[in-house]
């Protein structure tokens, strides 16, 4: 599934289609798109009303005839036509015209580690609809490792954890390839849902979809650790009366509520380490885990992993864009020759 460096250097643009955000890197221009993976559609006429940030703001605030679609779920394109329309508007006419001037337009795309052939085909079809004549697929884990500067080509272990919105991927890399990997179907959305369900059951409060993140930010500082703030005020709708209501939320109870999804992530890390050769595990005791992805910024998550595993845990400098930056580095030829598929023909 992972393309060679030589093939990637011929590509003109790269796309990271995530469940939460879509990012596009154009060779020679850098990161040109970094927007939410959302599109607002008029269901009566089929017209596209908004994409990206504006469509995200419309979530939960639209009349009946406007639907906010999310064409990507769990790292897989589930609505190819909508994904193509969204990408066309995000790129803009000027950028699309410049790409169409290429004699043979080549593209690269990130795909999850265990993506099945249908998911891979959906990613290819999406970019072919934008005019690409050839599409190279790159494992998200390898792209993210290159993007955050890990020495993946060396004969020593590096462990990376890609914390996405819909899933968390954990892998041990050595010699430019994946030694062992695990995909846990728990991500930032699962943490959001755990908070929403806690408030509904404990406080009988329905939380607006866009108020979950502010509550997570209220846990900032020491975040998920007991040294964080004791309580915070949150606004929502009363389940019984339907009226607006504000409550003081005990952040310790919120921390307990999100332990269940986070425990699944810890189990996945343990599974990867158990299936890893002992020599590589010894390397990881010193190097630790590198966290990338938007959900890596969840306050205190790194501290919790550090306490649970006893290993050093680091967060990349810009964790949310590591995968697309890694693709960009491969496109631009800025990295040393690296055998992504050393046994390939």
């Amino acid at each position: 599934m992972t393309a060679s460096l030589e093939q990637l250097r011929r590509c003109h643009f790269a796309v990271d289609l995530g469940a939460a955000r879509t990012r596009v890197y154009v060779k020679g221009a850098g990161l040109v798109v970094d927007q939410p993976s959302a599109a607002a559609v008029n269901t009566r006429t089929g017209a596209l009303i908004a994409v990206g940030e504006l469509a995200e703001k419309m979530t939960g605030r639209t009349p009946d005839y406007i639907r906010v679609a999310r064409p990507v779920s769990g790292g897989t394109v589930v609505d190819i036509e909508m994904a193509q329309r969204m990408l066309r508007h995000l790129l803009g006419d000027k950028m699309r015209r410049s790409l169409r001037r290429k004699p043979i337009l080549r593209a690269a795309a990130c795909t999850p580690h265990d993506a099945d052939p249908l998911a891979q085909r959906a990613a290819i079809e999406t970019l072919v609809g934008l005019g690409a004549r050839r599409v190279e697929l790159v494992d998200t884990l390898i792209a993210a490792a290159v993007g955050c500067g890990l020495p993946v080509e060396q004969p020593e272990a590096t462990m990376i954890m890609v914390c996405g919105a819909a899933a968390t991927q954990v892998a041990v890399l050595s010699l430019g390839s994946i030694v062992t990997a695990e995909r846990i179907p728990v991500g930032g959305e699962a943490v959001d849902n755990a908070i929403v369900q806690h408030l509904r059951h404990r406080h009988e409060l329905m939380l607006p979809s866009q108020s979950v993140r502010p509550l997570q930010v209220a846990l900032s500082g020491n975040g998920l650790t007991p040294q964080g703030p004791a309580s915070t005020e949150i606004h929502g709708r009363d389940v019984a009366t339907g009226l607006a209501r504000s409550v003081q939320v005990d952040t310790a109870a919120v921390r307990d509520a999100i332990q269940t999804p986070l425990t699944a992530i810890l189990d996945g890390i343990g599974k990867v380490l158990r299936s890893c050769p002992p020599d590589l595990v010894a390397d990881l005791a010193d190097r630790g885990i590198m966290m990338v992805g938007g959900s890596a910024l969840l306050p205190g998550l790194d501290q919790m992993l550090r306490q649970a595993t006893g290993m050093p845990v680091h967060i990349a400098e810009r964790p949310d864009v590591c995968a697309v930056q890694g693709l960009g580095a491969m496109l631009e030829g800025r990295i040393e020759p690296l055998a992504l598929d050393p046994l390939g023909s």
Side-chain angles (χ1 to χ4, degrees), residues 158-174:
T158 54
M159 190 170 190
I160 188 163
M161 186 167 81
V162 180
C163 308
T168 300
Q169 301 176 71
V170 185
V172 175
L173 309 176
S174 181

Side-chain angles (χ1 to χ4, degrees), residues 142-165:
I142 291 179
V146 171
C148 63
L150 289 178
V152 291
E153 74 280 3
Q154 300 299 322
E156 52 193 28
T158 54
M159 190 170 190
I160 188 163
M161 186 167 81
V162 180
C163 308

